[in-house]
Structures are given as C-alpha cells and as structure tokens.
Amino acid sequence: MEHPIFAEGLVRRFGDLVAVDGIDLCVEQGEIFGFLGPNGAGKSTTVRMLTTLLSLSEGTATVAGYDVEREAHMVRRVIGVALQEAAIDPIMTGRELLRLQSVLHGIRRKTAVARSEELLARVGLTAAADRRVATYSGGMKRRLDLALSLVHEPLVLFLDEPTTGLDPTSRQALWEEVRRLNREYGTTVLLTTQYLEEADQLANRIAI
C-alpha cells in the first residue's frame, strides 16, 4: 500500500457554497498526518469525503488503495473513524457498545470479548465499562469513541478534531493513545485539528 490516503483535485459543493476547493493530499504509510485549519475551513468535509460519508463533487481519492466512490464498501472495512461529534448511544454501556461494534464487524464472540476488554483498558475506561454512556464526561466519550474506531484494527484511522473541548489531562491521555497506536501497530493516522500544539505533539507532517 504505497499511499494509504491519496486525493487529487478534491472538491465539495453545497449548492453555491464551495466547502472544499481542489485539495491534493498524499499521506505516507505509517505516519501521523496533521490537517490544520480554522473552523469552517473544510477539514471535516474533507474527512467525510475520504471516509465515504459524502460524495465528491469533483476529483478523485483513494484510501488504503480503494477508490472512495467506486469501492466505498471496501474503504469502510479497513478504516477507523472518530468524528468531531461522536454518535454514541447514551443508554448503552461502554462494554456493550464495544461488543456491538465487534458484532457489526463480524468478529467472533470470544475474540470480541477479549478485544473489548483490551480496548477499555487501553483508553482508561475499565472502571466505567458498565456505566451508561450518558453518565460519561466529554473526555470519556471521546476515549470511548476512539476505542470503537479501533475494534477491527483499521489500516487507516481518521480523527476529526478529537480533543476539542477536552481538559488538559484528557487531551494528554488521548495524545498518548494515538502515539502508542501508531508506534505499536504502524497505523496511518489523519488528524484534523485547529490546535497548533496538537499538531506539533503528534504529526510527522502537516497541511494547512
């Protein structure tokens, strides 16, 4: 896999509004790539196109070697996504959500149980695993969302402003988890952020 993320002339329009205007991206295998810009710059729209959640108005893009439009189903199988606003069921517990996510990815029950416990420990949520997500703090929800995105051991991970609104301790914990994931598994990470410090701490290269 030469370029886990590759885009050329990426454009997205919403009526007369051009939200993304001709972006070219080339992310290398195993790097953490920082994608910076202020609010409204089009970072999240770009991520949604690359993760098959939005169609492209113009241009081409591949993720893990698969075309995001023609082979969208294959892209979804090999990526992990933690979006800016996590859609997590507040009624379920953290452990239940992780096991459900495993089932949706076709992971066998025994493996799913072990994987869920491993991820809960890695993101520091073992003690809160049986609490309903509605009782979680913002930082805990972000860490759970990261764990959910890692259930199937993705080749490419998209993190869309993962630490927005977090306190400094929660931000540091999430940074360390992203570093460890990249270091131990060689996962390619595209990180969108508006924080220069975050990019400086995590990214090998950046685009603005």
Side-chain angles (χ1 to χ4, degrees):
M1 186 170 56
E2 186 176 351
H3 300 299
I5 302 171
F6 184 83
E8 195 168 35
L10 209 58
V11 174
R12 175 64 196 195
R13 300 186 186 90
F14 296 96
D16 294 331
L17 173 66
V18 181
V20 175
D21 191 9
I23 284 179
D24 299 325
L25 276 179
C26 184
V27 178
E28 303 295 339
Q29 174 67 39
E31 77 173 331
I32 301 177
F33 189 89
F35 195 41
L36 280 74
N39 287 333
K43 301 186 303 297
S44 295
T45 301
T46 300
V47 167
R48 288 178 180 274
M49 286 191 285
L50 293 173
T51 57
T52 77
L53 296 174
L54 276 178
S55 60
L56 282 58
S57 299
E58 291 180 25
T60 59
T62 59
V63 174
Y66 299 110
D67 187 279
V68 298
E69 295 204 297
R70 295 195 310 270
E71 301 171 293
H73 65 292
M74 292 302 297
V75 173
R76 295 184 195 116
R77 291 180 63 178
V78 298
I79 63 172
V81 185
L83 296 177
Q84 192 171 353
E85 294 186 7
I88 303 176
D89 188 338
I91 303 301
M92 297 180 72
T93 68
R95 181 174 278 117
E96 288 171 343
L97 280 167
L98 280 164
R99 292 186 182 176
L100 173 61
Q101 188 84 333
S102 299
V103 169
L104 294 174
H105 281 286
I107 299 171
R108 292 183 178 181
R109 177 179 173 79
K110 184 177 180 180
T111 304
V113 170
R115 183 76 176 138
S116 297
E117 297 308 311
E118 174 197 347
L119 287 169
L120 285 165
R122 281 177 58 179
V123 298
L125 290 176
T126 300
D130 294 313
R131 284 170 44 191
R132 291 188 176 186
V133 172
T135 69
Y136 284 16
S137 68
M140 293 168 73
K141 289 177 182 176
R142 289 295 177 112
R143 283 183 279 141
L144 176 60
D145 195 34
L146 178 61
L148 290 167
S149 72
L150 300 177
V151 160
H152 58 304
E153 299 180 330
L155 297 174
V156 183
L157 178 63
F158 292 87
L159 300 177
D160 188 18
E161 301 199 28
T163 64
T164 298
L166 296 190
D167 61 83
T169 301
S170 296
R171 181 174 291 134
Q172 288 283 351
L174 197 143
W175 285 354
E176 184 50 42
E177 187 54 40
V178 172
R179 288 192 196 97
R180 182 166 62 172
L181 176 72
N182 176 257
R183 181 175 64 246
E184 294 180 4
Y185 295 94
T187 306
T188 302
V189 181
L190 177 69
L191 168 78
T192 76
T193 182
Q194 55 183 309
Y195 301 130
L196 293 175
E197 180 192 7
E198 186 159 80
D200 186 51
Q201 286 285 333
L202 293 176
N204 305 109
R205 292 190 299 143
I206 64 168
I208 300 175

